[in-house]
Amino acid sequence: MLKDKGKRRWVKSYLRKHFHILGCTVVLSFSLGYFWRPDVLVMTPWFVPIVWEGTYNLEILNEQFQQRNITVGLTVFAIKKYVVFLKTFLETAEMYFMVGHKVNYYIFTDRPQEVPKVEFKEERNVVVLQVQNYPRWEEISMRRMEMINHFSQKQFINEVDYLVCADVDMRFNDLVGVEILSNLFGTLHPGFYTAERQSFTYERRPASQAYVPPDKGDFYYAGGLFGGTVKEVYKLTKKCHEAIMVDKDNGIEAIWQEESHLNKYFVYHKPTKILSPEYLWDDSLGRPQILRKRRFLAVPKDHDAIKNK
Ligand code: 4GW
Ligand code: MN
């Protein structure tokens, strides 16, 4: 009995003396609970964030970016039959992409007349950039690096702060906001975010400029969504385009075209932020529990009807 009372007294005095420590612990564990996802990797080995739902506070970020009054450029290519994807892409971007911020859509196409008329909100503009097409689809895909590079220097640097470069055969399905913005960001490929290094489909032939040795590389990134400041995207696209041209001269083409070159670039120029597969998902891979949101989704394509027409 006596012992028990002594214990209780001790607990009381401890609580009284160290209330601030307890308070801090409670606050800390609550905030960790809010910003921490124990079920996923939220930071890279070089200490940059991997963005998942539940790891950021959009309200605070929106305020910060609104104060900076930034403009975001969204580049998208719709060459030949791929113009059919533009309507859904743009309509869903109006609903979910950078809501509350200034946006310029840059549409690269060889068919400017076929760009659909979409209603855009205030401070959101469309710029149609007419570009040539190429007979081979691999080249259409790869030449994006050259064109983004060219217009970064010529135009984007004067018009926007950040560039987001996306595939067009996609639709926005949930919010994609300023939480993605950073100097240089890439997206984890939905097919490889749980894979080990040895199964990444990097270019493995040393003859290609996209070659990545077996003991290098952190993640396998998707070619369908990357970006950063105009300056960083300029540097990335310049390096990738030059490497693609050297390969061409040497009669070799990387296994996954510009995606291979992008992956090589990220091995030696580490992104300053990484987006989880929430930001580039394909429902044909199912709907795993850890994906609390599917923000940017592949639109299934009828390959025969669309490709190379
Ligand atoms: C095969 O016949 C083709 S055509 C493969 C790509 C093609 C293509 C791609 C095209 O005819 N027109 C075009 O504008 N693109 C652009 O390249 C478009 O922005 C597309 O999202 C991007 C990458 O091609 P993709 O989306 O078909 O690649 P995956 O299948 O890897 O998402
Ligand atoms: Mn695609």
Side-chain angles (χ1 to χ4, degrees):
M1 269 309 256
L2 258 177
K3 241 189 187 172
D4 231 31
K5 260 191 185 161
K7 206 191 230 169
R8 234 179 283 153
R9 214 175 297 137
W10 183 85
V11 170
K12 265 189 187 165
S13 77
Y14 179 88
L15 283 177
R16 214 174 294 128
K17 271 193 210 148
H18 300 288
F19 187 70
H20 56 290
I21 298 181
L22 273 163
C24 288
T25 313
V26 170
V27 168
L28 200 70
S29 29
F30 267 100
S31 46
L32 278 182
Y34 191 70
F35 291 111
W36 182 256
R37 288 276 308 263
D39 53 336
V40 293
L41 187 66
V42 297
M43 195 176 276
T44 67
W46 62 97
F47 301 111
V48 311
I50 306 177
V51 185
W52 297 85
E53 176 65 8
T55 62
Y56 60 91
N57 184 322
L58 187 59
E59 256 174 68
I60 294 173
L61 291 174
N62 269 337
E63 223 166 85
Q64 287 171 352
F65 279 89
Q66 252 141 17
Q67 267 162 18
R68 287 172 54 194
N69 195 25
I70 54 136
T71 305
V72 179
L74 178 57
T75 71
V76 73
F77 287 74
I79 312 279
K80 296 199 243 184
K81 272 282 166 74
Y82 273 53
V83 288
V84 301
F85 293 110
L86 276 174
K87 191 169 190 292
T88 302
F89 181 93
L90 294 170
E91 282 175 355
T92 57
E94 278 299 281
M95 293 164 67
Y96 296 118
F97 183 73
M98 297 293 159
V99 176
H101 299 274
K102 294 194 276 182
V103 172
N104 285 358
Y105 297 98
Y106 295 110
I107 302 175
F108 294 77
T109 184
D110 57 334
R111 302 179 179 183
Q113 295 85 353
E114 291 179 41
V115 174
K117 301 273 171 288
V118 171
E119 285 243 347
F120 294 100
K121 300 205 183 79
E122 249 176 79
E123 303 209 284
R124 298 175 75 101
N125 311 297
V126 170
V127 181
V128 177
L129 303 166
Q130 186 164 4
V131 294
Q132 73 173 101
N133 66 40
Y134 289 89
R136 292 178 60 245
W137 69 261
E138 293 89 343
E139 190 144 26
I140 292 176
S141 198
M142 287 194 295
R143 288 281 177 176
R144 291 186 289 174
M145 290 294 184
E146 179 182 30
M147 297 186 210
I148 294 169
N149 184 250
H150 177 82
F151 282 93
S152 291
Q153 190 180 32
K154 199 178 143 213
Q155 184 168 357
F156 303 155
I157 191 75
N158 303 315
E159 298 182 356
V160 298
D161 300 287
Y162 292 94
L163 284 172
V164 177
C165 308
D167 265 17
V168 73
D169 55 342
M170 304 289 299
R171 66 184 167 91
F172 290 88
N173 182 58
D174 212 321
L175 292 176
V176 173
V178 294
E179 76 279 2
I180 72 170
L181 299 178
S182 190
N183 283 348
L184 181 65
F185 64 85
T187 308
L188 300 182
H189 192 294
F192 297 92
Y193 69 103
T194 57
E196 299 285 329
R197 174 188 277 163
Q198 68 267 19
S199 53
F200 294 163
T201 54
Y202 293 145
E203 175 55 64
R204 298 300 190 187
R205 294 167 297 172
S208 167
Q209 298 297 306
Y211 171 67
V212 176
D215 61 338
K216 288 272 176 344
D218 313 285
F219 301 105
Y220 190 76
Y221 302 91
L225 189 67
F226 64 89
T229 57
V230 180
K231 195 175 146 202
E232 286 301 324
V233 172
Y234 173 83
K235 287 198 277 184
L236 177 154
T237 50
K238 182 171 168 23
K239 197 92 177 210
C240 288
H241 173 60
E242 284 170 358
I244 289 166
M245 288 299 109
V246 173
D247 272 6
K248 193 181 165 82
D249 283 347
N250 293 333
I252 193 167
E253 190 171 278
I255 177 165
W256 292 107
Q257 296 84 37
E258 77 295 338
E259 184 174 86
S260 306
H261 291 276
L262 179 76
N263 271 281
K264 161 82 181 276
Y265 188 85
F266 282 152
V267 172
Y268 298 102
H269 308 79
K270 304 277 191 232
T272 55
K273 196 177 265 188
I274 293 186
L275 311 184
S276 70
E278 294 169 6
Y279 291 88
L280 201 155
W281 190 252
D282 186 333
D283 277 349
S284 69
L285 297 166
R287 291 172 66 161
Q289 283 260 304
I290 60 164
L291 283 194
R292 294 190 187 166
K293 292 195 164 175
R294 293 168 304 131
R295 304 165 191 272
F296 193 41
L297 287 175
V299 173
K301 37 186 190 265
D302 176 350
H303 284 254
D304 291 334
I306 281 166
K307 291 202 157 186
N308 254 354
K309 291 281 158 63

